[in-house]
Amino acid sequence: MTLSVLLAGGGTAGHVAPLLATADCLRRRHPDARFLALGTIAGLEARLLPERGYAFVEVPRVPLPRRPSADLYRLPGRLRRGVTAARHAIEQIGADVVVGFGGYVAVPGYLAARRAGVPIVVHEQNSLPGVANRLGARWARSTAVAFPGTPLRGAVHTGMPLRSEITALARDPDRAARRREARAELGLDPHRPTLLVTGGSLGAQRINEVLGACAPDLLDAGVQVLHASGRGKDVALDAGVDRTRYVVRPYLDAIDTAYAAADLVLGRSGAGTVSELTALGLPGVYVPLPIGNGEQRRNAESVVEAGGGVLVADAELDAAFVRSRVVPLLSDPGALAAAAAAAASFGVHDGAERLADLVEAAAGSRS
């Protein structure tokens, strides 16, 4: 029997990246499988899914407001249109299973699947689940979570489905050689302790400002820095800063190469970042995004408590913190090695395979 999968989860990289990793894993296992994704024209999926060879159908965004607002009054009509579009997609592909990753397009997918009697598999990326996946988990045959302890009914810890470049690096038998190669590729010194700084594809202005101001302290300690500033953003460096040792790039096309070069990573604590760093055994200085419902802080807490990194609030990231916590860590090979081992103890390399197992089991339950 040819496997037929409807995928639901778009809008942000946090939903689209694990969706693509899972779909790629299933396609490797089932080369003749059929896939269709629910998405919106405005979401990242409109570009990323076709680039990887996956078709998607547009469904209306269905925001689930947490408090009274205009969106609350628009909800019934949006929901009806969304569920109708999702039901047509289920029928179009003859779906054996609906796999949801949260976000605005997941709710119509879950509701349509329930009404059609199609098994549901939910994957929740954050340690504090969103509204869509809390709803989907009520009806799911299997609920997978990236972090242990995520409060969802019947949750199974599978870890995060990771892109193939990250899993390949995690399994590299000679990471030391790869580190030297990566640093050479990036124009860095193969032997200096290396800090990777990133605020994601859009950058983080506060991180840019604080780290740029601390460049002399880092370089005086013998450290070199690779800093992804974000497109359209810059890092202000004093005229005397050696730009061959404090390297600023707007964007890193090959993040796996940057990870391979790094001893320590300073950045946000989105679920994908925490999952990638722990899979690679990289300690992190986590600066949670200061908006949302606190999920980024929750994502990093367990790793940090075990010694796999440092957690600092956005408002508390300043020059004094960098000098007192980041510079000493980078200057102590033993402390870095211990933090790396602690981070690796949380890492999951095969999250896509574990989730694919649940998808196959759910699809098989229908036959």
Side-chain angles (χ1 to χ4, degrees), residues 79-96:
L79 199 54
R80 281 194 300 272
R81 292 191 296 274
V83 172
T84 298
R87 187 182 72 244
H88 289 163
I90 288 172
E91 294 168 353
Q92 176 184 338
I93 197 175
D96 300 308

Side-chain angles (χ1 to χ4, degrees), residues 242-313:
D242 183 350
R243 291 174 180 263
T244 67
R245 286 182 53 207
Y246 197 111
V247 178
V248 179
R249 297 192 178 179
Y251 186 74
L252 297 168
D253 290 316
I255 190 63
D256 55 309
T257 301
Y259 282 155
D263 295 297
L264 180 68
V265 180
L266 185 150
R268 298 301 191 194
S269 51
T273 299
V274 176
S275 297
E276 289 176 349
L277 296 189
T278 54
L280 296 171
L282 273 173
V285 178
Y286 295 110
V287 189
L289 194 67
I291 59 174
N293 60 0
E295 69 273 12
Q296 284 211 355
R297 184 175 192 86
R298 286 279 297 272
N299 291 342
E301 280 179 340
S302 295
V303 179
V304 169
E305 286 169 4
V310 180
L311 189 63
V312 57

Side-chain angles (χ1 to χ4, degrees), residues 304-349:
V304 169
E305 286 169 4
V310 180
L311 189 63
V312 57
D314 187 82
E316 296 172 9
L317 176 68
D318 58 16
F321 175 86
V322 174
R323 293 173 188 134
S324 64
R325 300 296 300 278
V326 180
V327 171
L329 180 57
L330 280 161
S331 304
D332 186 338
L336 270 178
S345 70
F346 279 84
V348 176
H349 304 167

Side-chain angles (χ1 to χ4, degrees), residues 181-262:
E181 292 168 4
R183 290 176 180 173
E185 287 176 41
L186 293 163
L188 300 169
D189 186 323
H191 305 295
R192 286 188 184 275
T194 302
L195 172 66
L196 171 62
V197 180
T198 175
S201 60
L202 298 177
Q205 193 57 40
R206 180 167 179 80
I207 289 176
N208 290 350
E209 291 170 359
V210 172
L211 270 294
C214 293
D217 300 280
L218 290 159
L219 300 194
D220 287 348
V223 171
Q224 62 188 347
V225 181
L226 176 62
H227 189 144
S229 62
R231 290 190 176 100
K233 295 183 174 69
D234 198 8
V235 178
L237 296 175
D238 290 343
V241 170
D242 183 350
R243 291 174 180 263
T244 67
R245 286 182 53 207
Y246 197 111
V247 178
V248 179
R249 297 192 178 179
Y251 186 74
L252 297 168
D253 290 316
I255 190 63
D256 55 309
T257 301
Y259 282 155

Side-chain angles (χ1 to χ4, degrees), residues 162-200:
L162 299 174
R163 45 195 156 171
S164 58
E165 313 93 272
I166 302 300
T167 57
L169 177 59
R171 293 167 178 157
D172 191 321
D174 193 346
R175 289 283 294 280
R178 180 69 186 109
R179 181 179 297 112
R180 292 190 295 272
E181 292 168 4
R183 290 176 180 173
E185 287 176 41
L186 293 163
L188 300 169
D189 186 323
H191 305 295
R192 286 188 184 275
T194 302
L195 172 66
L196 171 62
V197 180
T198 175

